[in-house]
Amino acid sequence: MSAILVIGELNEGVVASHTFELLAAARSLSDAGGGDVHALVPGDSSVGQSLFGGGADAVHVATNQLLQTELTVDAFLPPVLNVIENTGADIVLIAQTAFGRDFGPALAFNLKAAVAMECTGLTLDGGRLQATRACYGGSARAEVKWGSSVQIVTIKPKTLDALATDDSRSGEVTEVSEVGEARVKILGTEKAEATGIRLEDAEVVVSGGRGLGEPEAFGILEELGNLLNGATGASRAACDLGWYPPSQQVGLTGKTVTPNLYIAVAISGASQHMAGMSGSKNIVAINRDEDSNMVQSSRFAVIEDYKKVIPALIEEIKNLG
Amino acid sequence: MSINIIVCAKQVMDPETPSSAFSVDSDIKQVTPVQGIPPVVNGFCENAVEAALQIREAAGGGTVTVLSVGNEFVMDVMKKPLSMGADSMILIQDQLCENLDALGTVNVLSAAITRAGEFDLILCGQQASDWDNAHVPLGLSETLGIPCLTEAKNIEIGDDSVTVNSSRTDGYEVFEANLPALITVNNEIGEPRYPTLRGIMQASRKTPEILSLSDLGLSEDQMAPAMALSDLYIPVSEAQCEIIEGEDDADSGRLLALKLREAKII
């Protein structure tokens, strides 16, 4: 008998929103014949109760205090392995968070199973999972299937909608007391200093690439970014040339941004860069090459010299107020 | 103090390859190499080499050994870490390594690391730019039974322990573990240094040790994949681009502002 297990996380003492998103994914797999939906979250019975309303058929809580204050891979593995064994779960869903990104692979290798990271689609084929995921910096899509009996998946938060809470659902919460010995100690957390709007939070990002021709050009990009209450980014090529700080690099080996508006100035759009910004809602390309991937991927494009386009753009935005 | 570091590095397709040249052969489920664009050492792996060199320099001694698994290595590409200053290189080159999944890759890496002898630290790039999974380092640490710290932007080596700052979207988290440990690094650890002329000369005199799977005592059945690729394809772009053309360049800029306002984007 197959079953689906959702690995939950806490966020400031309550079940994290992405756990409910995973429950929604688990529910639809269950409706397609994937078996019952089990959920496991660190915490006590009262924390666990909310998972029924989110779609779980059975709830398990890992009660050891350490898991609620210092969640580490080593500490969480034994309770998760316990629940997988007791429920016969053959599908495990994990959020692609700072924790889940490490936990998914660690769990997989512990079970000699495979894990598919950051999946964007899941279907059942003859009772077995098939997953879709982006690779090559988003340039390609892969469909994967598992050879191992346990099939582990991570899903990025906010890619799915949680189900509406069903308060009529409830049940008994099973407590799991095991905890592993943590080999990694958490010493603390440091919040980044607030210096302007962070790239990842910005609703508008203006980025420049090697095609700018000179580092001074970032001045006018910053002016445009500031005017739109946004942040300024750069392609790897521009950062490698020392034109802009690596902390502002957008792309595969930099930050991933999903702003409402992404203005790409003189960036051709190789997968290195697209990987970091293709999730933007509206892409504007200012680029001399009409055939460039960035122009092809954009909603609006201006195929002209940025040095003349951007000052006029800035002036008109000011006029519009 | 002397420290022995192993850096795992991967040869990948250059992610700066123009997307117009990017193509997939769906029959063999592989990305087609582009003529004239050589592969590169994966970006984060170069960051890992840089981190290893910095740690060796700070310790005042030790070794940096670069390890890679693949089928067809381009030697000029793979020797870059040696030109940067790494001491030696081990390449596991075998036809059976062509399409390894994570489980197989970890089996090969751990066998090669065990064969190489004692180490204090293993450094890996945070993820490879081809499959974007970021799961091999975690598997390797599980298999070797050592702690794993990921996404390091800063590494400090103590007497028997290591402290790292791991990048988080809202800052960083500080972790500590005993040595030996495995650490994955990202680009915030520092730009990979450019090879100096002297480095390139020294690297040219170094020969990577090339081993096959049988040299490691591994058989084909130990490479059996736990994950199968059933399809690989290029997604269809849904973007409908509207080209904005004014009377001149500046007019186009002005029209763009109006368009963005009209679409309620600004």
Side-chain angles (χ1 to χ4, degrees), chain A residues 101-102 136 143 147 198 304, chain B residues 130 150-151 169 172 226 230 252:
Chain A
R101 195 165 48 202
D102 290 356
Y136 284 87
E143 301 280 342
R198 292 188 320 117
E304 275 157 282
Chain B
D130 46 7
T150 57
E151 291 206 58
T169 49
Y172 62 91
S230 48
S252 302

Side-chain angles (χ1 to χ4, degrees), chain B residues 179-191:
Chain B
L179 295 173
L182 187 151
I183 298 171
T184 78
V185 307
N186 62 27
N187 64 317
E188 290 180 67
I189 202 111
E191 285 292 298

Side-chain angles (χ1 to χ4, degrees), chain A residues 89-162:
Chain A
D90 57 356
I91 296 175
V92 182
L93 306 184
I94 300 170
Q96 176 87 4
T97 56
F99 174 75
R101 195 165 48 202
D102 290 356
F103 189 76
L107 177 66
F109 282 90
N110 219 278
L111 293 165
K112 298 277 174 238
V115 56
M117 307 295 287
E118 272 193 72
C119 295
T120 52
L122 298 175
T123 51
L124 279 179
D125 179 12
R128 297 286 293 171
L129 202 56
Q130 170 152 326
T132 309
R133 58 182 302 276
C135 53
Y136 284 87
S139 295
R141 296 281 179 280
E143 301 280 342
V144 294
K145 283 181 166 178
W146 281 255
S148 57
S149 58
V150 179
Q151 307 157 92
I152 302 170
V153 161
T154 73
I155 298 173
K156 206 172 179 172
K158 293 182 190 163
T159 47
L160 299 166
D161 291 323

Side-chain angles (χ1 to χ4, degrees), chain B residues 35 39-40 48 67 95 101 137 154 169 171 176 249:
Chain B
Q35 280 283 319
V40 293
L67 172 63
Q95 224 174 344
D101 73 346
N154 185 273
T169 49
E176 187 190 69
D249 294 20

Side-chain angles (χ1 to χ4, degrees), chain A residues 202-205 258-262 279-283 299, chain B residues 263-266:
Chain A
E203 280 298 300
V204 177
V205 174
T258 51
N260 182 42
L261 172 60
Y262 191 89
S280 304
K281 285 189 197 74
N282 298 287
I283 297 170
R299 178 164 174 198
Chain B
K264 297 196 169 65
I265 298 171
I266 59 170

